[in-house]
Amino acid sequence: MDLIETLRTTGAVRDFEAEPVPDDVLYRILDAARFAPSGGNRQGWRIVVVNDPGKRRRLRDLYLVGWYEYLAQTAAGLVPWAPVTDEGAERRAIGQAPEVEARAAAGPGGFAEHLDEVPLLLVLLADLRALAAVDKGFSRYTMAGGASIYPFGWNVLLAARAEGLGGVLTTMPIRREAEVKALLDVPDELVVAGVIALGRPVRQAKRLRRAPVEEFTTVDGFNGPPLRPA
């Protein structure tokens, strides 16, 4: 596949055919994804493939706790769990999560409610011992360590696209990290970075909607002029 075209058309996929993904295909995906960059080339990622039906259902249930809180916050006009937000409004919104759950129970459910049915479920872990978190100890939200983990997750999605598959990396299970780690016997030194769902898409995105370069790139300062093509 053409690299630029792949970058422009690899969006989040949450609707999958029931077709299973063979282990050799998954192996090829991970074999390509492992060349992602990481600080010091320490490659602090680990993958747990979740096949056991019982563990899949438990992972789904843990996912749903955060999902309904997420929906409650978006319904209140909030960016869910934004590091800079109205904390009181966030608490009030999360308090409405049981009502959101009740409404969801009355419907057919979507990706979240059927997470256990996704062809491939990969839990992405990060080894804290391998991360050069240069913003460690800052008073603000820390995010530098993720730069050594999430490029690998993106590589998984790109490699899956080359195999005719699609998927999404979701961080929702982090809300119940302790339970997820207990479910999968994850050591203390590792944390949950997300879950990657993969499968053959019901439909593959052909065109994605994103902001133009001029909206997020400026020259010589945050308030500088936008970058424009010559």
Side-chain angles (χ1 to χ4, degrees), residues 6-223:
T6 303
L7 292 173
R8 286 177 171 268
T9 59
T10 303
V13 173
R14 297 179 178 86
D15 295 318
F16 305 100
E17 301 286 358
E19 176 184 340
V21 178
D23 285 347
D24 61 330
V25 174
L26 174 58
Y27 188 94
R28 286 199 301 268
I29 290 170
L30 297 176
D31 192 41
R34 66 192 173 95
F35 290 96
S38 62
N41 196 28
R42 282 181 285 272
Q43 305 166 56
W45 51 75
R46 286 289 302 272
I47 289 286
V48 176
V49 184
V50 185
N51 288 333
D52 179 84
K55 291 185 177 182
R56 281 173 156 257
R57 288 190 295 270
R58 178 59 176 155
L59 186 61
R60 174 204 61 198
D61 293 344
L62 293 172
Y63 185 102
L64 286 172
V65 176
W67 177 238
Y68 295 136
E69 292 178 349
Y70 179 99
L71 292 179
Q73 290 172 82
T74 58
L78 301 173
V79 175
W81 299 292
V84 178
T85 192
D86 182 331
E87 300 287 346
E90 180 179 273
R91 286 191 295 272
R92 290 191 294 274
I94 290 175
Q96 301 302 309
E99 295 181 14
V100 175
E101 180 179 4
R103 289 195 295 271
F111 169 77
E113 287 80 11
H114 297 280
L115 183 68
D116 57 311
E117 301 169 22
V118 169
L120 271 178
L121 282 178
L122 312 178
V123 176
L124 175 60
L125 304 172
D127 189 337
L128 297 179
R129 297 166 297 185
L131 304 184
V134 297
D135 53 358
K136 179 181 178 180
F138 281 22
S139 59
R140 61 154 175 81
Y141 173 79
T142 177
M143 61 186 300
S148 289
I149 299 298
Y150 291 116
F152 169 79
W154 176 232
N155 268 15
V156 170
L157 296 176
L158 290 176
R161 181 71 191 283
E163 296 282 351
L165 305 179
V168 64
L169 193 167
T170 173
T171 55
M172 199 64 64
I174 295 174
R175 295 300 302 175
R176 311 298 294 187
E177 181 178 71
E179 293 97 324
V180 173
K181 290 178 64 173
L183 176 68
L184 303 175
D185 300 318
V186 178
D188 291 342
E189 297 82 5
L190 277 73
V191 298
V192 178
V195 167
I196 302 173
L198 295 175
R200 192 162 303 281
V202 172
R203 53 192 169 277
Q204 187 66 263
K206 299 297 183 182
R207 179 178 298 179
L208 306 178
R209 294 189 300 274
R210 299 291 187 267
V213 172
E214 292 85 347
E215 288 192 15
F216 60 82
T217 307
T218 55
V219 180
D220 288 334
F222 185 83
N223 296 313

